[in-house]
Each structure stands twice: as structure tokens, then as C-alpha cells.
Amino acid sequence: MPAVAPHFTIDDIYVHIFSWKHVTANALELYRRVAPHFPRAFFVNCDENTPIAPETISGDRVLQLDDRYYYGGQFNTALKNTPEGKILACIVGDVEPAADWAAIAARAVAAFNAHPIGIYAPNVDYTWWTMRNARIAGDLYEVPNTDCTCWFLHPKLTGRLRIFDYYLLSNLGWGIDAMYCKEAVKRRMHIARDYGVMVRQPRGTAYDQTKARAQMQLLMTLYGALADS
């Protein structure tokens, strides 16, 4: 792996909580727990029938969408809101608020500054991606995919992949994690899971998986064409 020059601070991480109907209350509590540890924290609100009062979250920290937006559209919005050269972080709104967010913040900054990390994520209590490969250092391990429940993306990855409109191509979100993992491998950067910290999320999905799979195939085909160019 290439050497890395430490330069990130907590101010360089732009965290986005993805909220939608049925999880609004949990997402608001999640934001309340996360925001004190990340100065650049934003609330992506897709519950069009529940506006966020300014006394709850400052208006400049609310990105208002509507019910048409699933993970891909939310991700697209968060990516556009993150300046180039900064770390994009996404947390889905049904994650349990009770986690050690102070530790996650500190460990994310330390990981990006100490190693050529492309993707950083805390451990998740339930994920399809359970394989653990070589140790990077301490509780950091190389994995094939971190899961995109709660993850942090190096600007070298997002800088190149900003060209895609994820809302139009994969609104349901499938394929985004796979594409970013492929880009990290291409750039010889680690896909890192931190087993020293944990977030929890309920199981289950509530969308058309056949449609999600078709969107993923389109996204990966377009990424393949970009990678070959």
C-alpha cells in the first residue's frame, strides 16, 4: 500500500443521517447523539410530511427531499453536499442511536491519517459481509465490503465517482457499495472495518429487490465502462 500523509481533522468529515418516513423519530435521536462529535453533521429528510423544526435542527443542516428518495437518492444528495477533498460519511436513519459516536469519530480520523484507507466503517451487528481478511492495525481489518449502513469514504474515491447520478441510476442503492469497494481496490486503498466499535441496525428491507438488482447491474455496467476508459 502507498504511504499516507496525515492531514484530516474531524472538520473534514461531512456526516449525513438518512431519514425517511417510519424512522423519523429514531433518526432525529440519532442525529442528536451524532452531531456533538461531528461538527459537519447533516440531516437528509425524506419524510415529506414531517418538516424539521429549526429549533430541533438548524435549517442549514437539513437537506429536505421527499418520499421518492431511497438510499441512492439520499447518497447522491449527501455527495453533492460534501465539498471536494472532504470525507463523506453516511448513516442510515434506523441505526440505533446508542453507540460510542465519540470513539467512532476519533477512530475514523486516526484511521484515515495513519493508513491509506479508502473506506472506513465501524462493525455492524448484522451484515451480509462477514468475511474478515488481514489485519491492518489494531482492530482495523481488511474486508471485501464494509456494508453501507455507516461508512466513511475517502475523497479520492468520491472525487472520481461524482460523475454518476445515483438517484437516477440506482435510487434503491444497490451497487453503490460494490462500486466504491472496486474503486478502493483499484487505487490500492484499504476497505477497512473497525472491530473496536459497533453500530446496530434492525434487519429487513421494504423495497422491490428485483428492481434494486436491475439498478445495480446498470450502475456496475457504467462503472465498468468508466474503469476501462
Side-chain angles (χ1 to χ4, degrees):
M1 292 287 180
V4 60
H7 67 282
F8 290 115
T9 71
I10 194 63
D11 288 313
D12 294 313
I13 300 180
Y14 280 63
V15 174
H16 298 80
I17 309 295
F18 295 172
S19 182
W20 60 94
K21 60 183 179 181
H22 308 309
V23 306
T24 304
N26 186 81
L28 286 170
E29 177 61 17
L30 178 61
Y31 184 90
R32 190 184 72 81
R33 301 282 190 101
V34 168
H37 308 291
F38 293 92
R40 313 293 184 188
F42 298 87
F43 192 83
V44 183
N45 184 33
C46 299
D47 183 353
E48 59 190 27
N49 296 314
T50 307
I52 307 303
E55 60 269 23
T56 302
I57 302 176
S58 175
D60 63 334
R61 295 304 179 95
V62 177
L63 305 176
Q64 184 63 50
L65 302 175
D66 56 49
D67 288 343
R68 296 173 299 168
Y69 287 77
Y70 287 79
Y71 189 97
Q74 296 159 357
F75 180 87
N76 200 63
T77 300
L79 179 57
K80 289 181 177 180
N81 188 61
T82 303
E84 291 194 23
K86 303 301 182 181
I87 295 168
L88 166 62
C90 305
I91 310 171
V92 295
D94 57 353
V95 161
E96 291 184 11
D100 192 344
W101 297 109
I104 291 170
R107 292 166 77 103
V109 172
F112 280 111
N113 283 334
H115 310 283
I117 302 290
I119 303 172
Y120 169 89
N123 194 16
V124 182
D125 64 329
Y126 173 71
T127 176
W128 289 104
W129 301 100
T130 58
M131 181 180 296
R132 184 189 311 197
N133 296 326
R135 176 187 274 119
I136 300 168
D139 294 314
L140 276 180
Y141 284 81
E142 188 79 33
V143 293
N145 191 312
T146 60
D147 191 293
C148 55
T149 297
C150 174
W151 64 340
F152 299 69
L153 303 174
H154 193 285
K156 285 185 178 179
L157 306 187
T158 55
R160 183 166 187 262
L161 301 180
R162 287 175 180 270
I163 65 170
F164 295 115
D165 187 327
Y166 300 94
Y167 173 64
L168 293 178
L169 296 172
S170 184
N171 189 32
L172 295 177
W174 282 28
I176 295 174
D177 56 348
M179 186 176 69
Y180 275 81
C181 288
K182 283 181 176 292
E183 185 69 12
V185 170
K186 180 178 181 179
R187 291 179 172 272
R188 299 178 62 208
M189 302 178 79
H190 292 297
I191 303 164
R193 180 177 294 143
D194 189 343
Y195 288 88
V197 280
M198 167 80 78
V199 298
R200 301 183 183 278
Q201 181 196 34
R203 303 185 186 190
T205 58
Y207 51 79
D208 185 339
Q209 294 192 25
T210 299
K211 184 176 181 180
R213 190 170 292 106
Q215 291 179 357
M216 175 180 67
Q217 291 170 349
L218 172 60
L219 185 62
M220 295 307 293
T221 296
L222 293 173
Y223 173 70
L226 173 67
D228 292 337
S229 62

